[in-house]
PDB file of all heavy atoms in Angstrom:
ATOM      1  N   GLU A 148      24.297 -35.614  55.959  1.00 85.00           N
ATOM      2  CA  GLU A 148      25.432 -35.908  56.836  1.00 85.00           C
ATOM      3  C   GLU A 148      26.005 -37.281  56.498  1.00 85.00           C
ATOM      4  O   GLU A 148      25.269 -38.242  56.274  1.00 85.00           O
ATOM      5  CB  GLU A 148      24.971 -35.868  58.289  1.00 85.00           C
ATOM      6  CG  GLU A 148      26.106 -35.965  59.293  1.00 85.00           C
ATOM      7  CD  GLU A 148      25.622 -35.752  60.719  1.00 85.00           C
ATOM      8  OE1 GLU A 148      24.395 -35.855  60.959  1.00 85.00           O
ATOM      9  OE2 GLU A 148      26.459 -35.478  61.578  1.00 85.00           O
ATOM     10  N   ASP A 149      27.335 -37.353  56.442  1.00 83.00           N
ATOM     11  CA  ASP A 149      28.042 -38.598  56.126  1.00 83.00           C
ATOM     12  C   ASP A 149      27.675 -39.134  54.739  1.00 83.00           C
ATOM     13  O   ASP A 149      27.750 -40.346  54.486  1.00 83.00           O
ATOM     14  CB  ASP A 149      27.761 -39.683  57.183  1.00 83.00           C
ATOM     15  CG  ASP A 149      28.233 -39.273  58.567  1.00 83.00           C
ATOM     16  OD1 ASP A 149      29.272 -38.592  58.656  1.00 83.00           O
ATOM     17  OD2 ASP A 149      27.556 -39.618  59.547  1.00 83.00           O
ATOM     18  N   ASP A 150      27.291 -38.257  53.833  1.00 85.00           N
ATOM     19  CA  ASP A 150      26.944 -38.669  52.475  1.00 85.00           C
ATOM     20  C   ASP A 150      28.201 -39.157  51.756  1.00 85.00           C
ATOM     21  O   ASP A 150      29.218 -38.460  51.739  1.00 85.00           O
ATOM     22  CB  ASP A 150      26.335 -37.484  51.713  1.00 85.00           C
ATOM     23  CG  ASP A 150      25.558 -37.921  50.480  1.00 85.00           C
ATOM     24  OD1 ASP A 150      26.096 -38.737  49.706  1.00 85.00           O
ATOM     25  OD2 ASP A 150      24.436 -37.432  50.299  1.00 85.00           O
ATOM     26  N   PRO A 151      28.171 -40.361  51.155  1.00 87.00           N
ATOM     27  CA  PRO A 151      29.347 -40.856  50.429  1.00 87.00           C
ATOM     28  C   PRO A 151      29.785 -39.937  49.294  1.00 87.00           C
ATOM     29  O   PRO A 151      30.950 -39.967  48.886  1.00 87.00           O
ATOM     30  CB  PRO A 151      28.877 -42.213  49.878  1.00 87.00           C
ATOM     31  CG  PRO A 151      27.759 -42.631  50.767  1.00 87.00           C
ATOM     32  CD  PRO A 151      27.088 -41.369  51.191  1.00 87.00           C
ATOM     33  N   LEU A 152      28.876 -39.111  48.782  1.00 86.00           N
ATOM     34  CA  LEU A 152      29.250 -38.204  47.699  1.00 86.00           C
ATOM     35  C   LEU A 152      30.312 -37.196  48.138  1.00 86.00           C
ATOM     36  O   LEU A 152      31.118 -36.745  47.325  1.00 86.00           O
ATOM     37  CB  LEU A 152      28.019 -37.456  47.187  1.00 86.00           C
ATOM     38  CG  LEU A 152      26.984 -38.280  46.421  1.00 86.00           C
ATOM     39  CD1 LEU A 152      25.801 -37.406  46.045  1.00 86.00           C
ATOM     40  CD2 LEU A 152      27.600 -38.900  45.181  1.00 86.00           C
ATOM     41  N   THR A 153      30.311 -36.836  49.423  1.00 86.00           N
ATOM     42  CA  THR A 153      31.328 -35.906  49.920  1.00 86.00           C
ATOM     43  C   THR A 153      32.712 -36.522  49.792  1.00 86.00           C
ATOM     44  O   THR A 153      33.671 -35.872  49.356  1.00 86.00           O
ATOM     45  CB  THR A 153      31.044 -35.522  51.377  1.00 86.00           C
ATOM     46  OG1 THR A 153      29.727 -34.988  51.483  1.00 86.00           O
ATOM     47  CG2 THR A 153      32.042 -34.484  51.873  1.00 86.00           C
ATOM     48  N   ARG A 154      32.830 -37.802  50.164  1.00 84.00           N
ATOM     49  CA  ARG A 154      34.117 -38.500  50.014  1.00 84.00           C
ATOM     50  C   ARG A 154      34.503 -38.612  48.547  1.00 84.00           C
ATOM     51  O   ARG A 154      35.667 -38.396  48.181  1.00 84.00           O
ATOM     52  CB  ARG A 154      34.030 -39.896  50.640  1.00 84.00           C
ATOM     53  CG  ARG A 154      35.269 -40.754  50.381  1.00 84.00           C
ATOM     54  CD  ARG A 154      35.050 -42.201  50.796  1.00 84.00           C
ATOM     55  NE  ARG A 154      33.906 -42.816  50.149  1.00 84.00           N
ATOM     56  CZ  ARG A 154      33.905 -43.273  48.901  1.00 84.00           C
ATOM     57  NH1 ARG A 154      34.996 -43.146  48.142  1.00 84.00           N
ATOM     58  NH2 ARG A 154      32.831 -43.840  48.386  1.00 84.00           N
ATOM     59  N   MET A 155      33.532 -38.944  47.702  1.00 86.00           N
ATOM     60  CA  MET A 155      33.822 -39.061  46.269  1.00 86.00           C
ATOM     61  C   MET A 155      34.342 -37.732  45.725  1.00 86.00           C
ATOM     62  O   MET A 155      35.260 -37.710  44.904  1.00 86.00           O
ATOM     63  CB  MET A 155      32.566 -39.475  45.510  1.00 86.00           C
ATOM     64  CG  MET A 155      32.052 -40.853  45.817  1.00 86.00           C
ATOM     65  SD  MET A 155      30.566 -41.209  44.823  1.00 86.00           S
ATOM     66  CE  MET A 155      29.899 -42.602  45.742  1.00 86.00           C
ATOM     67  N   ALA A 156      33.748 -36.644  46.181  1.00 86.00           N
ATOM     68  CA  ALA A 156      34.183 -35.320  45.709  1.00 86.00           C
ATOM     69  C   ALA A 156      35.610 -35.034  46.140  1.00 86.00           C
ATOM     70  O   ALA A 156      36.404 -34.470  45.376  1.00 86.00           O
ATOM     71  CB  ALA A 156      33.239 -34.245  46.234  1.00 86.00           C
ATOM     72  N   ASP A 157      35.963 -35.438  47.373  1.00 83.00           N
ATOM     73  CA  ASP A 157      37.331 -35.218  47.867  1.00 83.00           C
ATOM     74  C   ASP A 157      38.350 -36.001  47.044  1.00 83.00           C
ATOM     75  O   ASP A 157      39.491 -35.562  46.871  1.00 83.00           O
ATOM     76  CB  ASP A 157      37.432 -35.630  49.338  1.00 83.00           C
ATOM     77  CG  ASP A 157      36.665 -34.695  50.265  1.00 83.00           C
ATOM     78  OD1 ASP A 157      36.400 -33.546  49.848  1.00 83.00           O
ATOM     79  OD2 ASP A 157      36.330 -35.119  51.380  1.00 83.00           O
ATOM     80  N   GLU A 158      37.939 -37.158  46.552  1.00 82.00           N
ATOM     81  CA  GLU A 158      38.868 -38.031  45.825  1.00 82.00           C
ATOM     82  C   GLU A 158      38.828 -37.816  44.316  1.00 82.00           C
ATOM     83  O   GLU A 158      39.662 -38.357  43.592  1.00 82.00           O
ATOM     84  CB  GLU A 158      38.530 -39.496  46.134  1.00 82.00           C
ATOM     85  CG  GLU A 158      38.690 -39.863  47.605  1.00 82.00           C
ATOM     86  CD  GLU A 158      38.200 -41.262  47.914  1.00 82.00           C
ATOM     87  OE1 GLU A 158      37.631 -41.900  46.990  1.00 82.00           O
ATOM     88  OE2 GLU A 158      38.373 -41.721  49.064  1.00 82.00           O
ATOM     89  N   ALA A 159      37.879 -37.035  43.842  1.00 83.00           N
ATOM     90  CA  ALA A 159      37.686 -36.873  42.400  1.00 83.00           C
ATOM     91  C   ALA A 159      38.851 -36.142  41.755  1.00 83.00           C
ATOM     92  O   ALA A 159      39.371 -35.164  42.296  1.00 83.00           O
ATOM     93  CB  ALA A 159      36.388 -36.117  42.129  1.00 83.00           C
ATOM     94  N   GLN A 160      39.262 -36.611  40.602  1.00 79.00           N
ATOM     95  CA  GLN A 160      40.317 -35.958  39.824  1.00 79.00           C
ATOM     96  C   GLN A 160      39.681 -35.052  38.770  1.00 79.00           C
ATOM     97  O   GLN A 160      40.035 -35.102  37.591  1.00 79.00           O
ATOM     98  CB  GLN A 160      41.207 -37.021  39.169  1.00 79.00           C
ATOM     99  CG  GLN A 160      41.907 -37.930  40.152  1.00 79.00           C
ATOM    100  CD  GLN A 160      42.842 -37.173  41.073  1.00 79.00           C
ATOM    101  OE1 GLN A 160      43.674 -36.379  40.610  1.00 79.00           O
ATOM    102  NE2 GLN A 160      42.725 -37.393  42.371  1.00 79.00           N
ATOM    103  N   MET A 161      38.738 -34.253  39.200  1.00 87.00           N
ATOM    104  CA  MET A 161      38.028 -33.353  38.302  1.00 87.00           C
ATOM    105  C   MET A 161      37.431 -32.232  39.143  1.00 87.00           C
ATOM    106  O   MET A 161      37.288 -32.362  40.358  1.00 87.00           O
ATOM    107  CB  MET A 161      36.933 -34.106  37.549  1.00 87.00           C
ATOM    108  CG  MET A 161      35.835 -34.613  38.456  1.00 87.00           C
ATOM    109  SD  MET A 161      34.679 -35.776  37.655  1.00 87.00           S
ATOM    110  CE  MET A 161      34.341 -34.979  36.121  1.00 87.00           C
ATOM    111  N   PRO A 162      37.082 -31.101  38.532  1.00 92.00           N
ATOM    112  CA  PRO A 162      36.493 -29.999  39.294  1.00 92.00           C
ATOM    113  C   PRO A 162      35.140 -30.373  39.882  1.00 92.00           C
ATOM    114  O   PRO A 162      34.311 -30.989  39.207  1.00 92.00           O
ATOM    115  CB  PRO A 162      36.350 -28.886  38.253  1.00 92.00           C
ATOM    116  CG  PRO A 162      37.301 -29.242  37.147  1.00 92.00           C
ATOM    117  CD  PRO A 162      37.326 -30.732  37.121  1.00 92.00           C
ATOM    118  N   VAL A 163      34.920 -30.012  41.144  1.00 94.00           N
ATOM    119  CA  VAL A 163      33.647 -30.258  41.825  1.00 94.00           C
ATOM    120  C   VAL A 163      33.219 -28.990  42.542  1.00 94.00           C
ATOM    121  O   VAL A 163      33.998 -28.404  43.296  1.00 94.00           O
ATOM    122  CB  VAL A 163      33.760 -31.414  42.837  1.00 94.00           C
ATOM    123  CG1 VAL A 163      32.428 -31.592  43.583  1.00 94.00           C
ATOM    124  CG2 VAL A 163      34.159 -32.706  42.155  1.00 94.00           C
ATOM    125  N   VAL A 164      31.985 -28.565  42.315  1.00 96.00           N
ATOM    126  CA  VAL A 164      31.407 -27.402  42.976  1.00 96.00           C
ATOM    127  C   VAL A 164      30.201 -27.855  43.783  1.00 96.00           C
ATOM    128  O   VAL A 164      29.365 -28.604  43.280  1.00 96.00           O
ATOM    129  CB  VAL A 164      30.988 -26.323  41.957  1.00 96.00           C
ATOM    130  CG1 VAL A 164      30.211 -25.195  42.643  1.00 96.00           C
ATOM    131  CG2 VAL A 164      32.205 -25.752  41.246  1.00 96.00           C
ATOM    132  N   PHE A 165      30.114 -27.405  45.023  1.00 96.00           N
ATOM    133  CA  PHE A 165      28.990 -27.752  45.884  1.00 96.00           C
ATOM    134  C   PHE A 165      27.927 -26.659  45.829  1.00 96.00           C
ATOM    135  O   PHE A 165      28.242 -25.471  45.911  1.00 96.00           O
ATOM    136  CB  PHE A 165      29.451 -27.918  47.330  1.00 96.00           C
ATOM    137  CG  PHE A 165      30.243 -29.165  47.591  1.00 96.00           C
ATOM    138  CD1 PHE A 165      31.581 -29.243  47.252  1.00 96.00           C
ATOM    139  CD2 PHE A 165      29.647 -30.273  48.185  1.00 96.00           C
ATOM    140  CE1 PHE A 165      32.321 -30.391  47.487  1.00 96.00           C
ATOM    141  CE2 PHE A 165      30.375 -31.422  48.432  1.00 96.00           C
ATOM    142  CZ  PHE A 165      31.707 -31.486  48.079  1.00 96.00           C
ATOM    143  N   GLY A 166      26.683 -27.075  45.727  1.00 95.00           N
ATOM    144  CA  GLY A 166      25.558 -26.164  45.883  1.00 95.00           C
ATOM    145  C   GLY A 166      25.071 -26.274  47.316  1.00 95.00           C
ATOM    146  O   GLY A 166      24.381 -27.219  47.669  1.00 95.00           O
ATOM    147  N   GLY A 167      25.469 -25.321  48.159  1.00 93.00           N
ATOM    148  CA  GLY A 167      25.264 -25.466  49.597  1.00 93.00           C
ATOM    149  C   GLY A 167      26.412 -26.249  50.193  1.00 93.00           C
ATOM    150  O   GLY A 167      27.040 -27.080  49.524  1.00 93.00           O
TER     151      GLY A 167
END
Side-chain angles (χ1 to χ4, degrees):
E148 188 173 17
D149 299 325
D150 198 312
L152 290 177
T153 304
R154 173 190 56 78
M155 294 181 197
D157 291 339
E158 298 173 354
Q160 299 299 310
M161 65 191 314
V163 177
V164 172
F165 287 79

